Amino acid sequence: MDLENQQRIIDAAEKFGAGNVVVLLGSADPEGAGLYAETVTVGDPTFAGPLAGVSLGLPVYHVFEEDIKAEADQGIWQEQIEMMEMVLDTAALAGSVAEMREQHSQTKL
Amino acid sequence: MPNAAIKSTVYCLNHTPELGLQYGTTPCLERRDKPDSPFLANLPGFIQPYEDAVRYAPNLTYIGAMTVEQLEEHPLPWHSNLASAPIRFGKYGEIMPEDEFLGLLDICDVFDLVWLETSFAESVRGKLNAHPVLDAEVLKRLKGGRDIAAIRDEIAGKAALPLYFAGEVVGCCRRAHEVDETLSAHVILENLASKAGGVLALLHLLKKAGMEPGEVDFLVECSEEAVGDMNQRGGGNLAKSIAEIAGCVNASGLDVRAFCAAPVNALITGASLVASGARRNVIVLAGGALPKLFMNSRDHVKKEHPALENCLGSFAVLLTPDDGTAPVIRLDALGKHSVGAGASPQAVTTALVWDPLRKAGLNFADVDKYAAELQIPEITLPAGAGDVPEANAKMIAALAVVKGQLERAAIGEFVSRHGLVGFAHTQGHIPSGVPFLGHAADAIASGDMKRAMIIGKGSLFLARMTGLSDGASFLVEASSGEPVGSLTRDEVKTILLDALAELAHTLRAD
């Protein structure tokens, strides 16, 4: 996760409280999604950014997880997301993020 | 609506690993911040030498020494399955070695900023004398060279940057101003490298098209550099500076910038100028992006994978009025990623693919090949960016499913039939659809292809002026056979009927 986004997440967690922030990922690659999820829960695994050694334990989800899809307006989903749902490995993306969440998120939706 | 013809296309590469090692953004920043890093120490060991670059299948496809179909059948990995024989010159252009490119930098420098060491300059002059597109007029711009001691003084005391060949300092690029950062030696070197690539592509194009330099009317340049000074960083006009070196005395030009979407926007601009009659002919061209050399090399070194981002890419396209024979850029069905279109991949693909198809009354399958971003996959995959051309083809296929024109189970087949393998270096503007234009124009002219769509996308948000990205697209197809300026049968009929009606009216009045 780039350094600016790491800082944005720290800022949001400080401003609203870690219990009031949910991280919603839209990344296209399961390995990358897992790394992002790790970054906002355990901390930056590359030790390069502001989240190095900072375990926020935020609840983290991928947009293709069923719980999130169920919350979305179906019309907008069809207009903006349905196409990528066919292109990407949604099960792997959801699984990769869920695994990190189950292990390291302190709160869940 | 009149269209513009694609009369000739040129694609060149400049194999410049030593410029990349020194001045590519990734190694350059590493040298500044961590000069002793293992990455910097190991990178030279992963560089592809020139002898291999001229046998590397994607490079050969780029310069037209291989077809896209041959590349598709070429065994993977391409970097270790090199072509049996080296090829420097293809039907679209060449792969120029680094010493000759340094000579070209000197040729393109009109402010005495590039100094080459005397014996090196002489050695390069000998090689460039034999070059097929550099004539005496161009070669007389190559300066005589400087003493190595003077070059070392410039580097040590006056912020000049060393230029290397075979590991030795063979020259320097000097700053153009003492305090203006936009005229620092580094920026000047980037700008001159872009200019030199553009000049090489232009000279090839003039030869290929059989055109005298004086016949060129206008150039639209679309590289990655913004040339200017501290009072106007993006002042321009690289196009005119390139035209000057090539001797295009009757031409002027302008620069178009839109990150990686610039070449497609520039081609639409050039085609519009020609189709409207505002310009007799337009050459759209760009040189390469020095900062992007070895951009992903950190991942390549980490994974012990060849660092293949060693070439500057350039291209040039000659656009002329539709003559009824050459393939055309259709101007009645352009794709545009508008401000309000949305940022999701689906919204972008809809704007760039579905909207122009609808305008043209076409279905997804009516386009033989979609050329979006054509990065070489074995450069992007180890860097975690995936197979970009394949991802684009998948998105277009999935949109066809959404629009009810394709069965979901047929996505894979659509991708292999209508998608492309990537054969362009990660030069930003260069991969963005445009490298396929030459192959497409040839296939359309020979009747092997009916239609292609060229798609450019640009990450505007990188400049921090907007969070938006950009994109543009156009269709390439055979000319309808009616040259601009000629009349259709129906138009002649209407004129005759009008004339007869007028005659009848006059006779009645009499």
Side-chain angles (χ1 to χ4, degrees):
Chain A
M1 183 181 287
D2 76 39
L3 311 187
E4 274 180 43
N5 281 337
Q6 290 192 32
Q7 190 59 49
R8 281 184 192 156
I9 285 169
I10 290 185
D11 292 346
E14 281 175 3
K15 186 172 175 186
F16 303 108
N20 295 315
V21 174
V22 176
V23 179
L24 186 59
L25 299 173
S27 48
D29 156 54
E31 188 187 340
L35 286 173
Y36 292 148
E38 185 178 353
T39 306
V40 300
T41 52
V42 184
D44 180 3
T46 66
F47 285 91
L51 282 170
V54 179
S55 298
L56 293 176
L58 298 175
V60 57
Y61 292 80
H62 196 280
V63 72
F64 286 132
E65 291 193 63
E66 285 303 324
D67 288 350
I68 302 296
K69 186 177 175 182
E71 293 290 322
D73 178 301
Q74 288 309 301
I76 292 176
W77 185 274
Q78 281 170 9
E79 196 183 301
Q80 300 283 338
I81 299 184
E82 187 185 18
M83 183 193 88
M84 288 312 283
E85 206 175 3
M86 277 183 255
V87 172
L88 299 175
D89 186 346
T90 53
L93 287 164
S96 164
V97 175
E99 189 183 333
M100 279 293 156
R101 181 175 65 245
E102 295 306 326
Q103 288 178 43
H104 304 296
S105 289
Q106 285 164 18
T107 54
K108 296 178 182 65
L109 287 176
Chain B
M1 179 185 276
N3 294 317
I6 301 164
K7 203 66 179 170
S8 193
T9 53
V10 156
Y11 298 93
C12 293
L13 295 170
N14 304 110
H15 181 259
T16 51
E18 300 203 53
L19 280 174
L21 275 179
Q22 298 300 321
Y23 308 116
T25 302
T26 300
C28 189
L29 289 179
E30 186 82 353
R31 188 170 296 104
R32 188 192 69 183
D33 298 336
K34 297 179 198 162
D36 301 322
S37 86
F39 157 60
L40 267 188
N42 292 331
L43 176 57
F46 289 93
I47 285 177
Q48 182 190 53
Y50 181 73
E51 296 68 36
D52 289 358
V54 285
R55 295 170 60 203
Y56 185 51
N59 288 354
L60 300 184
T61 309
Y62 188 80
I63 63 162
M66 270 175 83
T67 64
V68 173
E69 293 75 24
Q70 286 169 330
L71 179 66
E72 280 170 349
E73 287 163 16
H74 197 83
L76 290 164
W78 293 327
H79 60 77
S80 57
N81 289 291
L82 298 170
S84 52
I87 302 177
R88 171 168 173 175
F89 294 97
K91 68 174 170 174
Y92 300 140
E94 68 166 302
I95 306 168
M96 180 180 258
E98 189 151 21
D99 56 344
E100 293 181 37
F101 185 69
L102 294 180
L104 196 58
L105 276 185
D106 186 306
I107 285 170
C108 291
D109 158 38
V110 295
F111 275 86
D112 197 28
L113 300 172
V114 173
W115 287 5
L116 298 182
E117 188 274 323
T118 310
S119 63
F120 180 77
E122 277 316 298
S123 141
V124 166
R125 186 186 305 279
K127 292 180 183 179
L128 292 181
N129 272 335
H131 194 282
V133 303
L134 300 178
D135 63 16
E137 279 301 302
V138 174
L139 278 170
K140 75 181 184 192
R141 291 178 176 275
L142 182 62
K143 298 181 278 295
R146 297 270 180 164
D147 188 72
I148 190 68
I151 289 170
R152 290 195 188 283
D153 284 349
E154 287 293 310
I155 295 166
K158 294 181 183 165
L161 293 178
L163 301 174
Y164 293 85
F165 185 69
E168 300 290 328
V169 175
V170 294
C172 68
C173 179
R174 303 161 67 223
R175 66 186 172 196
H177 196 278
E178 286 193 12
V179 297
D180 186 345
E181 288 180 7
T182 62
L183 295 171
S184 69
H186 194 113
V187 175
I188 288 289
L189 181 57
E190 290 175 351
N191 293 346
L192 279 175
S194 182
K195 178 182 174 183
V199 166
L200 184 65
L202 175 55
L203 293 171
H204 272 280
L205 188 75
L206 294 175
K207 179 166 188 247
K208 190 179 170 199
M211 199 174 183
E212 290 300 322
E215 293 178 75
V216 179
D217 193 10
F218 206 73
L219 292 91
V220 179
E221 198 269 3
C222 54
S223 73
E224 302 239 310
E225 312 308 346
V227 299
D229 73 351
M230 60 186 162
N231 294 315
Q232 194 179 358
R233 268 192 307 279
N237 167 344
L238 260 176
K240 193 164 181 176
S241 77
I242 290 168
E244 177 193 18
I245 303 295
C248 302
V249 291
N250 295 315
S252 188
L254 56 78
D255 300 347
V256 165
R257 296 291 179 271
F259 279 93
C260 311
V264 171
N265 278 312
L267 281 159
I268 292 170
T269 302
S272 305
L273 288 170
V274 167
S276 68
R279 304 290 180 194
R280 287 193 313 279
N281 57 61
V282 171
I283 292 174
V284 177
L285 83 178
L290 195 157
K292 287 184 170 155
L293 294 174
F294 298 123
M295 186 167 54
N296 296 289
S297 58
R298 198 183 299 280
D299 287 307
H300 296 150
V301 170
K302 193 168 25 173
K303 294 182 179 166
E304 300 192 341
H305 184 278
L308 296 162
E309 294 164 300
N310 51 24
C311 285
L312 299 167
S314 60
F315 80 95
V317 176
L318 172 61
L319 301 171
T320 57
D322 184 359
D323 60 3
T325 57
V328 296
I329 292 177
R330 272 186 75 162
L331 290 168
D332 61 339
L334 299 172
K336 175 178 71 178
H337 183 204
S338 61
V339 170
S344 70
Q346 186 165 340
V348 173
T349 313
T350 300
L352 297 182
V353 179
W354 171 245
D355 289 352
L357 287 179
R358 258 194 326 179
K359 276 188 225 166
L362 298 169
N363 290 324
F364 283 87
D366 293 331
V367 174
D368 299 75
K369 289 286 182 187
Y370 292 91
E373 297 157 296
L374 297 175
Q375 286 92 340
I376 298 166
E378 59 186 21
I379 290 177
T380 55
L381 279 164
D387 182 332
V388 182
E390 185 187 67
N392 273 287
K394 276 185 186 169
M395 287 193 278
I396 294 166
L399 190 65
V401 175
V402 170
K403 300 297 181 189
Q405 292 187 10
L406 187 72
E407 292 297 323
R408 190 166 176 169
I411 286 181
E413 191 197 331
F414 184 97
V415 168
S416 53
R417 184 187 290 258
H418 298 280
L420 283 164
V421 289
F423 56 91
H425 277 268
T426 48
Q427 286 268 287
H429 59 314
I430 292 295
S432 214
V434 174
F436 186 60
L437 200 54
H439 290 284
D442 284 352
I444 290 167
S446 67
D448 294 331
M449 181 185 288
K450 194 162 184 196
R451 186 177 291 114
M453 184 182 278
I454 308 294
I455 304 161
K457 298 183 199 174
S459 305
L460 303 190
F461 51 85
L462 294 171
R464 300 297 190 257
M465 289 295 109
T466 171
L468 298 173
S469 60
D470 192 26
S473 61
F474 59 80
L475 289 160
V476 187
E477 56 187 40
S479 169
S480 60
E482 289 155 5
V484 170
S486 69
L487 295 173
T488 64
R489 181 179 284 271
D490 283 346
E491 284 167 337
V492 171
K493 206 184 282 178
T494 306
I495 291 167
L496 282 174
L497 286 172
D498 285 351
L500 288 172
E502 200 174 315
L503 180 65
H505 183 76
T506 312
L507 289 173
R508 260 203 307 273
D510 288 347

